[in-house]
Amino acid sequence: MQRRSFLLSITLLCTGLWLSGCSSPQYLEVTPERSAPVAQVGNGQEVAVFAQDGRDSDVIGQRSGGGMSNSRITVSSHTLIPKLQREAERAVRDMGFTPVSQQAEGRPTLTLELARLNYARADGANPGLDEARLEGVLRAVARNDGTTYTGTYTSSRTQEYALKPGADKNTEMLNTLLGKALDRAFNDGELGALLAR
């Protein structure tokens, strides 16, 4: 009888933990950073730098397979875009340019857009495991002297798990995902060449 009561308590505890993991939405504070070095192609020229959000919604996906609002994962444009702005300015500075916030006649411009950020849950290939499939897409548009160059940089990741990832783990995965997209964007030789023209 005592053993049965113990097993029932353990079952209820596990069920409670599982439900609590599924029942609350996640509002993630993502802070992606570029980690790869960039080529020095500038000579101090001013470049107007802008970051913007091209997504339709701050909701990037669900922690469960259904469409329940209490399992939504949200990354706010108001918190993420200023961080992308800072990273874009840092990259432009490291490339040898002087980032500024105002457009002017004859001044090159660079617009970094968060085109897509998705988080999808799927059944994993291994029994007892689920998968989180993440995708981030950045778009960079450089304009200089009547010429425009557009680059699209995609980063994706699949993560298997037995227990649904918490906010800290999801934030870590998204930081890594967008960091790789930033590395790809600012190591695009054509982008730097147009700004330096």
Side-chain angles (χ1 to χ4, degrees):
M1 187 70 167
Q2 197 173 21
R3 181 169 184 239
R4 200 159 136 198
S5 176
F6 174 74
L7 288 174
L8 180 60
S9 297
I10 291 296
T11 302
L12 289 173
L13 177 64
C14 289
T15 302
L17 288 172
W18 181 80
L19 286 174
S20 68
C22 296
S23 63
S24 58
Q26 290 182 357
Y27 299 93
L28 307 182
E29 292 275 340
V30 180
T31 309
E33 293 183 355
R34 175 185 57 83
S35 58
V38 295
Q40 286 247 343
V41 294
N43 192 26
Q45 307 98 308
E46 291 185 344
V47 174
V49 180
F50 308 99
Q52 64 187 31
D53 196 344
R55 301 175 298 158
D56 295 328
S57 170
D58 286 350
V59 176
I60 64 169
Q62 310 283 337
R63 298 178 66 210
S64 63
M68 297 182 298
S69 63
N70 60 357
S71 69
R72 286 181 183 156
I73 301 175
T74 300
V75 176
S76 170
S77 178
H78 296 295
T79 58
L80 177 56
I81 297 307
K83 294 168 185 173
L84 288 178
Q85 175 77 27
R86 284 194 295 272
E87 281 303 293
E89 290 173 359
R90 182 171 73 93
V92 165
R93 191 176 294 109
D94 290 348
M95 292 165 73
F97 302 104
T98 301
V100 296
S101 59
Q102 299 293 324
Q103 292 183 344
E105 185 70 30
R107 179 180 290 163
T109 65
L110 174 66
T111 302
L112 181 68
E113 179 183 88
L114 177 61
R116 190 162 59 248
L117 187 59
N118 292 334
Y119 184 109
R121 182 204 157 271
D123 293 331
N126 296 318
L129 295 177
D130 290 331
E131 285 181 352
R133 296 179 184 169
L134 293 80
E135 182 186 48
V137 179
L138 295 177
R139 183 177 296 116
V141 181
R143 293 185 174 89
N144 192 8
D145 196 26
T147 302
T148 300
Y149 174 77
T150 302
T152 302
Y153 315 94
T154 301
S155 178
S156 58
R157 172 177 179 165
T158 299
Q159 178 74 42
E160 284 191 330
Y161 58 85
L163 296 174
K164 287 181 175 58
D168 288 346
K169 180 62 177 176
N170 282 331
T171 300
E172 177 191 330
M173 290 193 292
L174 289 168
N175 280 334
T176 301
L177 185 84
L178 290 176
K180 287 181 179 177
L182 285 167
D183 287 344
R184 290 180 182 140
F186 291 105
N187 277 285
D188 183 341
E190 293 185 62
L191 189 75
L194 180 59
L195 293 174
R197 180 184 295 181

